[in-house]
């Protein structure tokens, strides 16, 4: 094998290694958001994050999420029939808590608070 062939083979191998490393870095960077959601009420609060329904909706529960976009959707009013939807975008590394919303006239309204 000539020196040129060896050089081209080495360059080609290094390019694949470089591409492989870049792909791994991109996966790490775009790996998703991680956050925690606590239910600090005594009520069951069904909610979904990026379309995935929680399996821990009960009062006192804590759920750690790793997800893509961090969009949460939940019913903020237990007293009305149907779903009164409230939606937020959540931030990476934050902790959130469902708590009763004291700013309304109804004692069963809830909201999601950033408690980081």
């Amino acid at each position: 094998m000539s020196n040129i062939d060896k050089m081209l083979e080495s360059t080609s191998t290094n390019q694949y290694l470089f591409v492989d490393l870049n792909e791994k870095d991109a996966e790490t960077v775009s790996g998703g958001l991680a956050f925690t959601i606590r239910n600090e009420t005594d009520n069951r609060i069904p909610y979904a994050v990026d379309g995935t329904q929680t399996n821990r909706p009960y009062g006192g529960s804590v759920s750690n999420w790793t997800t893509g976009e961090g969009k949460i959707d939940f019913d903020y009013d237990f007293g009305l029939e149907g779903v009164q939807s409230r939606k937020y975008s959540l931030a990476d590394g934050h902790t959130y808590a469902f708590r009763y919303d004291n700013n309304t006239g109804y004692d069963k309204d809830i909201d999601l608070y950033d408690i980081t």
Side-chain angles (χ1 to χ4, degrees), residues 32-109:
L33 305 173
F35 47 84
T36 300
I37 298 177
R38 300 174 178 271
N39 182 348
E40 295 182 354
T41 74
D42 55 359
N43 288 312
R44 181 179 179 276
I45 303 173
Y47 65 92
V49 175
D50 292 344
T52 300
Q53 192 72 26
T54 181
N55 59 3
R56 303 189 65 181
Y58 305 102
S61 65
V62 177
S63 297
N64 296 310
W65 288 83
T66 301
T67 186
E69 295 181 41
K71 307 279 186 200
I72 191 168
D73 186 1
F74 62 94
D75 184 359
Y76 69 88
D77 188 341
F78 299 118
L80 295 176
E81 287 187 36
V83 175
Q84 278 67 128
S85 183
R86 188 167 282 167
K87 299 176 182 182
Y88 293 118
S89 294
L90 306 180
D92 189 38
H94 287 232
T95 299
Y96 298 90
F98 284 113
R99 294 178 175 167
Y100 293 107
D101 187 350
N102 296 325
N103 297 319
T104 70
Y106 184 63
D107 64 350
K108 294 294 184 184
D109 284 349

